[in-house]
Amino acid sequence: MSAPAALFHAGMRLPTGLPPARDGDELSQPLEPADVRAFWEKQSENGQPQSIGKGSLDISELRDLLSTIIYKSGAYKGAVKMGLYTQRCCELYESLDSGGRVVFLKLLSVEYCAPKGEAQALANAYLESLAQSSDPAKSALRARALRDGLTPQYAELIDQINRLPGGFSFLVRMRADMLEHIRGHREDGAMRAMSDMLMKKLETWIIGTLDLKRITWNSPAFTIEKLGQYESVHAVKSWLDVRRRLGNGRRCFGFFHRSVPMEPLVFVWVALTDSVSDNVQSILQEREPTTAEAEATARCAIFYSINSQPGLSGVDLGNFLIKRVVGVLRAELPNIDTFCTLSPLPRFRAWLDQWLTPECLATPPPTMVSEGAQKALIARAPHTPTWTAALKHIIDSRGWTGDQANIDAMEPVVRALGAHYLVNVKRGKSHAAYDPVANFHLRNGACLHQINWRGNTSYSGLRQSLGLMCNYNYVLDRIEDNNERYVHDGAIAISGDDPFIAEAKRVATNTTRVAKL
């Protein structure tokens, strides 16, 4: 039975207006019911604090609430009451629409950052202690005071929220809202600074609190629904789609935070196959094996999609997840001897559009594409003077994906450009690959294995990369050496015998780094 596609809409949220739920093991002392009752009975007698209407935002009341938590001002009398004030702040935030949340976050990031005057005074005191005193203890105390003075005041609110039951999950969702705002307002430095600080705190709090779990069709429905909600590479369309991805010959593993035991922070889909997969359609649309015996003959584990909660963007969990899953699969299925990804090239089409400048259209690089491939492509657009102009004409036209002659002529050209893009195009002046997925896997020690034409023929795949995908091969006894060489000088390890990758590697020393973006 299939469910409506809307069930897995990426923007779906849990019902708002609810306090953070107690999901599992707590990292801090929980609030007891008697404490909650006593607090509200006392406030009822005093006539404060006033409740804040759902869906509305009173800026004055918000400032009072934030100041009470951050400065421990007003009627603060202990950790229990502070926890309740903090929970009310979370309830207020959850009750707001997207516009109200932006107002909340902007006020927090601007009015509760590090005080400039105090930080300046502490910096002067530290520099003065260095100049006038030879006592390292005194300088260390001044340095500590300066560090504390440079810490944004909103850090106290974040720490208080993390102590609440369900607080970690709330902070992940709140950072997702920050990132959504930053995508459309990159000039908002205050919000970016708050997002970066929260990311580092989440990264620290995650250490030692993650459990690796296999997710199956028998897992809680809440967990399975989250797979569809957070899947950002290959959209989940229905419950039947999920069941196929969790069936025989398939695996799904996730890292779970101990305070949120049913919601994966990051998860990976795996297909068990006889050979290295060159297209995702065969994985997503293939009927699952009728028996589990097929798994015993599989030779390859294909990691075809890795996803994390939006609020954990920038927190490197995928690296650890892949390595843990490789260990689990090796123990369970010793017949598996190849661990490869089937990965997208999410920025390839955008890079190609920038690379196809008027100069490039008129005088294309002579060594990038074979002469035969150039002539075959020009034949598909006879009025164009060069193969680059022919390529632009075809990919800008409607319906090119339905013309098999165009598809055949484009294959060697696009594969050659894709190999060049992965091997030679770098991020600014660094050694890092420009493509973010390539940089992730190469930094983790994988080898670039194969360029796959028509690897993803979905609308998203064609829009992002003209359907191009690639494999990264995790050769276990080469991972550490590959990682060290890539991080040190950008050297890209190669496995397999893909002629387009080999050619891109060969001409790399004679080709300048085009499109250093």
Side-chain angles (χ1 to χ4, degrees):
M1 184 175 94
S2 63
L7 177 64
F8 296 105
H9 189 273
M12 187 175 66
R13 283 187 176 275
L14 294 176
T16 59
L18 299 176
R22 179 170 179 168
D23 298 303
D25 297 336
E26 306 304 337
L27 302 181
S28 60
Q29 182 178 356
L31 300 176
E32 299 299 331
D35 297 326
V36 179
R37 274 197 308 273
F39 173 80
W40 287 116
E41 288 171 0
K42 183 67 174 177
Q43 301 313 311
S44 177
E45 295 173 3
N46 296 339
Q48 62 170 352
Q50 300 292 328
S51 62
I52 301 176
K54 181 176 180 179
S56 62
L57 182 60
D58 186 307
I59 299 298
S60 177
E61 289 190 66
L62 175 59
R63 286 195 180 100
D64 289 343
L65 184 58
L66 291 175
S67 296
T68 299
I69 299 168
I70 292 172
Y71 302 136
K72 297 181 173 60
S73 61
Y76 171 72
K77 292 182 180 179
V80 170
K81 180 177 286 189
M82 189 54 59
L84 291 165
Y85 274 114
T86 305
Q87 184 156 325
R88 285 191 56 246
C89 187
C90 295
E91 293 173 4
L92 167 62
Y93 183 84
E94 290 281 12
S95 74
L96 300 172
D97 60 16
S98 58
R101 293 182 182 190
V102 169
V103 173
F104 183 109
L105 293 171
K106 286 179 72 69
L107 185 146
L108 185 63
S109 66
V110 173
E111 296 191 15
Y112 294 91
C113 61
K116 296 179 181 179
E118 181 181 344
Q120 181 66 48
L122 291 169
N124 292 336
Y126 173 66
L127 293 174
E128 184 178 338
S129 70
L130 290 179
Q132 297 181 359
S133 174
S134 59
D135 183 0
K138 185 175 181 180
S139 297
L141 289 174
R142 294 289 189 185
R144 179 178 177 180
L146 176 59
R147 183 173 62 250
D148 292 342
L150 291 173
T151 301
Q153 295 170 328
Y154 50 69
E156 176 64 25
L157 173 66
I158 292 172
D159 290 339
Q160 289 287 348
I161 293 174
N162 186 54
R163 296 186 183 105
L164 291 176
F168 180 88
S169 182
F170 174 89
L171 289 171
V172 172
R173 296 195 301 273
M174 188 167 77
R175 183 164 183 264
D177 293 335
M178 296 180 193
L179 294 173
E180 180 67 25
H181 170 74
I182 291 169
R183 273 191 285 273
H185 303 82
R186 294 188 176 276
E187 74 284 356
D188 193 338
M191 188 77 77
R192 293 179 68 176
M194 185 165 69
S195 171
D196 290 346
M197 192 216 67
L198 179 53
M199 180 192 73
K200 292 176 182 177
K201 282 186 172 288
L202 292 172
E203 208 167 30
T204 301
W205 291 330
I206 280 174
I207 296 173
T209 64
L210 296 180
D211 294 322
L212 178 67
K213 298 179 184 179
R214 179 181 171 186
I215 303 169
T216 71
W217 184 244
N218 294 322
S219 296
F222 180 85
T223 301
I224 295 175
E225 188 172 345
K226 289 299 176 184
L227 298 181
Q229 182 179 341
Y230 296 137
E231 173 60 44
S232 60
V233 183
H234 306 296
V236 173
K237 300 176 182 178
S238 66
W239 286 108
L240 183 61
D241 194 4
V242 179
R243 185 167 187 171
R244 185 185 297 114
R245 299 188 194 193
L246 296 175
N248 292 329
R250 302 291 183 264
R251 294 288 189 276
C252 183
F253 295 91
F255 271 145
F256 292 75
H257 193 275
R258 291 171 189 170
S259 70
V260 196
M262 292 199 302
E263 185 171 354
L265 300 182
V266 58
F267 59 93
V268 60
W269 301 96
V270 186
L272 307 178
T273 62
D274 296 328
S275 59
V276 176
S277 300
D278 62 3
N279 74 89
V280 75
Q281 293 82 235
S282 64
I283 292 175
L284 297 179
Q285 299 170 10
E286 180 185 63
R287 283 184 173 272
E288 64 176 290
T290 55
T291 64
E293 281 72 16
E295 296 181 356
T297 62
R299 301 296 303 274
C300 301
I302 306 299
F303 300 85
Y304 64 92
S305 180
I306 303 175
N307 303 270
S308 66
Q309 294 190 25
L312 292 172
S313 176
V315 179
D316 190 3
L317 294 176
N319 174 27
F320 301 108
L321 179 61
I322 289 176
K323 291 177 180 177
R324 287 286 302 277
V325 171
V326 166
V328 171
L329 291 175
R330 291 183 72 191
E332 179 191 359
L333 299 168
N335 47 295
I336 300 289
D337 56 16
T338 300
F339 300 90
C340 262
T341 74
L342 182 57
S343 300
L345 286 69
R347 295 183 181 175
F348 174 68
R349 176 64 191 271
W351 167 81
L352 184 62
D353 287 340
Q354 293 186 41
W355 183 73
L356 291 172
T357 61
E359 293 79 8
C360 181
L361 295 175
T363 310
T367 59
M368 194 170 293
V369 175
S370 69
E371 185 175 346
Q374 294 179 31
K375 291 180 178 179
L377 190 63
I378 293 174
R380 298 303 307 159
H383 59 284
T384 57
T386 64
W387 66 267
T388 48
L391 176 62
K392 181 171 177 58
H393 172 78
I394 292 173
I395 63 177
D396 285 348
S397 63
R398 296 176 61 88
W400 68 265
T401 57
D403 188 325
Q404 189 59 46
N406 279 344
I407 291 173
D408 293 341
M410 287 176 64
E411 177 177 358
V413 174
V414 176
R415 287 184 67 186
L417 288 171
H420 168 75
Y421 166 77
L422 293 174
V423 173
N424 299 321
V425 180
K426 306 299 180 180
R427 189 178 304 176
K429 297 181 179 180
S430 72
H431 295 301
Y434 173 65
D435 186 85
V437 177
N439 184 58
F440 170 80
H441 289 295
L442 296 171
R443 191 182 69 242
N444 292 343
C447 301
L448 181 59
H449 183 72
Q450 182 173 282
I451 304 293
N452 301 310
W453 175 237
R454 307 283 287 172
N456 183 0
T457 56
S458 69
Y459 171 78
S460 176
L462 294 170
R463 180 175 56 84
Q464 290 186 344
S465 62
L466 302 179
L468 211 61
M469 297 192 81
C470 69
N471 303 111
Y472 298 97
N473 188 6
Y474 282 82
V475 183
L476 302 184
D477 58 359
R478 294 175 58 185
I479 286 177
E480 290 186 10
D481 182 57
N482 292 345
N483 164 262
E484 184 176 346
R485 294 178 60 214
Y486 179 75
V487 172
H488 184 262
D489 60 8
I492 295 176
I494 306 297
S495 67
D497 55 2
D498 188 306
F500 296 96
I501 295 176
E503 180 64 14
K505 190 83 169 175
R506 186 186 69 81
V507 302
T509 55
N510 300 321
T511 306
T512 57
R513 287 181 179 175
V514 297
K516 287 185 179 180
L517 302 176

